[in-house]
Amino acid sequence: MKEKKKNKRTEQEQLKQERKAKAQFILDEKQKKLDAEKEQFQTLRCLIETYLKTISNQNTLSNDRSLLISNIEKYRPDLLSKKANSITKQEFSSLLADILETKKQASASLLHSKLRTAYTKASKIDLNDVSVRPEEWSIFQITENPLTEIANIKMEIKKGGNPLNLEELRIYWNLIKNEQSEIGAMLRIHLLSGSVRMEQLVRAKVESVSTDSKSGLLAYIIEDDKGKKDKINK
């Protein structure tokens, strides 16, 4: 009789342990599912999209999205689906090196700068920036910025017969076209006038500026300080 009771208690204990193990398995599976769903919002792509929310100027927003997403999709698409806090400086270095090999220094330099800013915003939350809620940054769990471990990419100084290529020109224009300052205005005039020497541009006089009646283009006369005749720019 005692042996039967002992066996019954043993069976009950085993059944209890089996139920406990089954319940734990179900909890573990649910947690794995929750973690997987959470990771979908912790990727580099999501970090970039969160960073883009901080940009109010629509032109800048469009340019930055194209710069960030397009370049990574082209050279290292696998990084976009990785958790942002798991990507190493070596992986980012490889991405930037691939871009540099195609002679796109401007793109590599800007990409490095924008990604570094995105990681900085995620690791050092600015409560003064109301465009993004703090929890939108904290979900990435970023404590270190791998881009700060990569040196700035030096931009090649163009001289004489080595002008900006089309891509570099577009990037330069996008950087200055919305600059609301006297410097921005001067840079736009300088570029649109054919990039004359600054020594010539600063000699332009207000009375020398006029609008062409046929084309509607702005025209101005600059005084050349090298002994040449005055030059008309449109």
Side-chain angles (χ1 to χ4, degrees):
M1 189 72 177
K2 290 182 178 179
E3 188 66 28
K4 287 183 178 180
K5 287 184 178 179
K6 184 178 179 180
N7 291 337
K8 188 174 182 179
R9 284 198 299 268
T10 301
E11 289 175 359
Q12 289 177 338
E13 187 64 30
Q14 287 177 343
L15 184 60
K16 185 179 179 180
Q17 290 295 328
E18 288 174 1
R19 287 174 177 172
K20 185 178 179 180
K22 185 177 180 180
Q24 186 62 51
F25 175 79
I26 293 173
L27 287 174
D28 290 343
E29 289 301 306
K30 285 184 177 180
Q31 188 60 50
K32 287 180 182 179
K33 186 177 180 181
L34 288 173
D35 290 342
E37 291 176 350
K38 187 177 180 181
E39 285 185 9
Q40 293 178 4
F41 301 99
Q42 296 176 316
T43 63
L44 178 60
R45 184 185 291 274
C46 288
L47 174 61
I48 290 172
E49 291 297 338
T50 303
Y51 162 69
L52 292 173
K53 288 182 181 180
T54 66
I55 301 173
S56 57
N57 184 284
Q58 290 302 308
N59 289 326
T60 303
L61 173 61
S62 177
N63 292 331
D64 281 4
R65 173 173 281 112
S66 177
L67 171 75
L68 290 161
I69 300 296
S70 297
N71 277 292
I72 300 176
E73 280 184 337
K74 181 176 180 180
Y75 295 96
R76 285 295 304 275
D78 58 299
L79 294 183
L80 289 172
S81 58
K82 290 191 66 172
K83 288 181 65 175
N85 66 356
S86 71
I87 303 175
T88 65
K89 66 178 181 181
Q90 288 80 9
E91 289 176 299
F92 279 124
S93 295
S94 177
L95 164 67
L96 296 170
D98 287 346
I99 298 174
L100 285 172
E101 285 180 359
T102 62
K103 306 299 182 182
K104 295 182 178 179
Q105 285 181 298
S107 292
S109 178
L110 282 172
L111 182 62
H112 176 222
S113 175
K114 300 292 183 181
L115 285 173
R116 182 176 57 201
T117 300
Y119 270 81
T120 297
K121 286 181 176 292
S123 61
K124 298 178 180 179
I125 300 173
D126 182 6
L127 295 177
N128 295 309
D129 185 355
V130 297
S131 59
V132 176
R133 296 276 305 172
E135 56 268 24
E136 292 184 75
W137 288 124
S138 59
I139 192 175
F140 296 104
Q141 300 176 355
I142 290 174
T143 56
E144 296 181 353
N145 189 338
L147 280 306
T148 60
E149 300 296 316
I150 302 173
N152 291 333
I153 297 171
K154 295 180 179 180
M155 295 292 292
E156 181 182 354
I157 300 176
K158 301 290 184 176
K159 297 181 180 180
N162 190 19
L164 296 175
N165 60 39
L166 183 58
E167 182 204 10
E168 293 170 331
L169 187 60
R170 284 172 176 163
I171 292 173
Y172 176 54
W173 174 248
N174 286 328
L175 287 172
I176 67 174
K177 68 179 181 181
N178 296 311
E179 178 62 38
Q180 301 300 314
S181 65
E182 291 183 359
I183 293 176
M186 176 60 74
L187 290 174
R188 287 191 292 276
I189 291 174
H190 175 246
L191 179 62
L192 295 174
S193 65
S195 299
V196 297
R197 288 183 297 107
M198 279 296 183
E199 290 85 349
Q200 293 176 310
L201 194 56
V202 296
R203 295 167 68 90
K205 300 176 181 178
V206 175
E207 56 268 25
S208 300
V209 179
S210 61
T211 302
D212 187 271
S213 58
K214 293 182 179 179
S215 65
L217 295 174
L218 187 69
Y220 61 92
I221 299 175
I222 56 175
E223 298 178 8
D224 197 317
D225 60 347
K226 283 193 173 183
K228 299 177 183 178
K229 294 182 179 179
D230 289 355
K231 183 178 181 181
I232 298 179
N233 276 286
K234 294 184 181 181

